[in-house]
Amino acid sequence: MSHRTQVVVIGGGQAGLAAGYHLRRLGLDFVILDAQTTPGGAWQHAWDSLRLFSPAAYSSLPGRLMPPQSGETYPDVQHVVEYLADYEKRYELPVERAVRVLGVHRDGGLLRVETDSGTWHARASISATGTWWRPFIPNIPGQATFEGRQLHTAAYRSPANFAGQRVIVVGGGNSGAQIAADLAHDTRLTWVTQRPPRFLADNIDGRALFDAATARRRALDEGHTDTGGVASLGDIVAVPPVREARDRGLLKAAPMFSRLTRGGVEWADGTCAEADAVIWCTGFRPALSHLAPLQLRGRRGHIATTRTRAVDEPRLHLLGYGDWTGPASATLIGVGRPARDASREIAQLVRA
Ligand code: FAD
């Protein structure tokens, strides 16, 4: 089947919905194509105990505050999924599910979006596919030798699956600290980080991180020196379960090991630890394979952008992948502004 519209938004997570909100306000004709069967983007797949690192009101998309979750300062993932489902219904956003975009192609004056359920032709497109779908695991010698379980953050659900086991959690970011805290009580945990973990002060949560990211962008835009932004403050938000495990002395980190063995891991000095499972909390990369036909990747696989617009394909915007597509754009509160700016640029292009 072939369809025609002004704008195709690829991805119906929070970034795609924020774009939809602004495209609708600007009166554009658009569709949001989402590969999931149900609303909520990546939040549907997060581990059971994950909590937002900001209170509800500071985790809101444009137009509609996230309601507080009863009894919780920091909402859980189910609350976020319900908020996103309600958001797309409230604004009657035209989300098509389950539709996976396979490739975006140049087709004369239009972009041709090929999917597993037909083809869309559009004047412009916003790619908002997130990162959850491209987990990153570093190359460490011996990975194929290890006989235990190896999984990435994306596949972790709950400590129940590891009760009593020797588990090695790799990674000094928020996912690593939170999953280590989750496992600290019921498993024999070893938490491994590349450098000593840097906890943010206990009174710093996502609100302060958002302010730091915004101040940094403003400073850079005005030609001032780099404030260092969020990274200058630390790596790990001390959300209540992390703080509690840390204060009980359960979150002591070991340095990174140098290889995996059949039964566990080994450090450069020959020290070994046995393990039943290794959980790689080593981050994600932008899920951009559907853009390959446009051949936009420059050195080191990076797509050059001016704000959200692809430099070499002005009809394409990239939204929500991280600071390179707008300060704090990979957060609920931060994606609204780049979504608005991208939609305005597209409106100008389409109406020119
Ligand atoms: P996603 O939620 O991944 O949505 C993208 C959508 O696009 C998905 O539905 C996907 O199926 C779809 N898609 C992908 N490829 C295709 C394709 N080819 N065709 C069609 N559809 C496609 N942010 C906060 O604000 N507060 C927090 O507390 C917070 N905690 C986080 C904790 C973790 C562990 C992680 C990983 C992130 C956290 N974030 C947080 C960051 C961010 O808010 C989330 O990652 C969020 O899910 C990003 O939304 P998104 O819309 O960009 O991507």
Side-chain angles (χ1 to χ4, degrees), residues 10-15 33-36 41-43 47 50-53 99-101 128-130 132-133 175 284 290 320 330-332:
I10 307 169
Q14 65 199 38
L33 306 178
D34 188 46
Q36 304 289 292
W43 296 108
W47 63 92
L50 179 62
R51 295 278 183 285
L52 290 186
F53 50 64
V99 179
R100 176 169 297 281
V101 172
T129 47
W132 187 264
W133 327 97
S175 308
F284 298 84
H290 56 290
T331 64
L332 284 151

